[in-house]
Amino acid sequence: QQSEANARLVGVGCRTGHSPIPSPAMELKDIPFVPILASFFWGSNPSEDVSPETCLASFPILTSPCLSGMLVKLVGIGIMLGACLNKLPLYINVLKTGSVAGMAAGAVYGETIMYANAAFYGFLRGNPFTAYGENAIMTLQAIGICFLLWKFKDDPTV
């Protein structure tokens, strides 16, 4: 009787065959997307102490190298999310007023080149995207500012 109740609990008798509730014997690595997340957080770590398998094995209480690797990735993601909002006030002001008065074209072009240089450097060195992603996002935003500058620039007629 006990095994029948457990079979119903973990969904063995379901029509779909998928278990809606993880069984007690199910390991963390068997849950969908967990191995993908683990390889994202710990797959590119050069340390021998850190691998997706070892970090998942100690999951609720992570070892120091596993925890620091995960925190570094999370901080990188947070920086990239913050970078997405960096130029938003400038976009809003230009689109609301329809003017780029006061913006120096040389400064906008220089900023675009600077961010693109830093992003390409990180890419060519083979750094993880969380390391140079902020510069890549800022490059795209600076290119957008260039387009706004070209669209709303008032050139004097000669």
Side-chain angles (χ1 to χ4, degrees):
Q1 277 185 348
Q2 184 67 18
S3 63
E4 286 180 31
N6 285 343
R8 274 185 264 123
L9 251 181
V10 296
V12 173
C14 289
R15 291 182 186 149
T16 61
H18 290 84
S19 174
I21 302 170
S23 69
M26 181 181 270
E27 292 187 24
L28 194 57
K29 66 180 182 176
D30 297 331
I31 299 174
F33 298 111
V34 169
I36 296 169
L37 286 174
S39 66
F40 172 73
F41 283 123
W42 303 297
S44 63
N45 199 315
S47 173
E48 295 176 6
D49 298 337
V50 179
S51 72
E53 293 80 22
T54 58
C55 292
L56 281 179
S58 68
F59 179 64
I61 302 170
L62 293 173
T63 61
S64 178
C66 291
L67 183 63
S68 64
M70 188 172 78
L71 288 178
V72 165
K73 289 285 187 175
L74 289 175
V75 167
I77 291 170
I79 288 172
M80 286 190 299
L81 290 175
C84 290
L85 302 175
N86 193 325
K87 300 284 183 189
L88 186 63
L90 187 59
Y91 279 109
I92 291 171
N93 285 340
V94 168
L95 293 173
K96 187 186 289 185
T97 62
S99 171
V100 290
M103 286 179 60
V108 173
Y109 300 148
E111 184 180 40
T112 305
I113 292 169
M114 177 192 68
Y115 285 128
N117 183 31
F120 283 127
Y121 178 76
F123 175 75
L124 292 175
R125 292 225 356 129
N127 294 340
F129 185 73
T130 53
Y132 67 87
E134 174 191 12
N135 288 316
I137 291 169
M138 295 299 291
T139 301
L140 295 175
Q141 290 180 12
I143 290 170
I145 297 294
C146 287
F147 285 131
L148 288 177
L149 183 71
W150 295 335
K151 179 177 175 153
F152 293 112
K153 188 172 183 183
D154 292 330
D155 286 328
T157 57
V158 182

